[in-house]
Amino acid sequence: MILIGVVFVFIIGFEWFYLRRKQRKRRTFLLALGTALILFLGEEVLYFFKEDFALVRVIQYVFGPIETLITGEGANK
C-alpha cells in the first residue's frame, strides 16, 4: 500500500513539474492533477476492499439480465 502511494507521488510530482516547465494554464493543472488524485483514491479503495471486491459480481450484475433474456430463463418465471 505504501508502494502505491510512493508511485503516485512520483507521478503527480512529475506532472506538476512538467506542467510548470511548459507554463500550462490552471485548467490543465486541475485536469491532470485531479485525474491523478481520482485514480489514486480509486486504487486505494480497490486495495482496501480487495477481499470484498470481486469483478465477477460486477459482471454478473451488469450482464445477468441480458443473459436471462438471451437464454430465455426469465420467461418461465
Side-chain angles (χ1 to χ4, degrees):
M1 190 161 161
I2 293 172
L3 183 63
I4 295 170
V6 170
V7 169
F8 268 94
V9 166
F10 282 125
I11 291 171
I12 291 171
F14 177 77
E15 287 181 1
W16 175 268
F17 289 117
Y18 176 81
L19 293 171
R20 285 190 63 198
R21 190 179 69 197
K22 296 290 184 176
Q23 298 177 348
R24 299 297 181 201
K25 296 180 183 176
R26 184 172 184 242
R27 181 176 183 266
T28 307
F29 273 87
L30 292 175
L31 285 173
L33 299 178
T35 301
L37 182 64
I38 289 170
L39 291 172
F40 172 70
L41 293 175
E43 183 72 29
E44 289 295 325
V45 166
L46 284 175
Y47 182 81
F48 185 71
F49 293 112
K50 66 182 173 186
E51 300 297 326
D52 299 329
F53 181 76
L55 190 58
V56 172
R57 288 189 219 151
V58 175
I59 292 172
Q60 286 175 344
Y61 178 76
V62 172
F63 294 107
I66 298 170
E67 181 183 10
T68 56
L69 286 174
I70 292 172
T71 58
E73 294 175 8
N76 296 333
K77 292 182 180 180

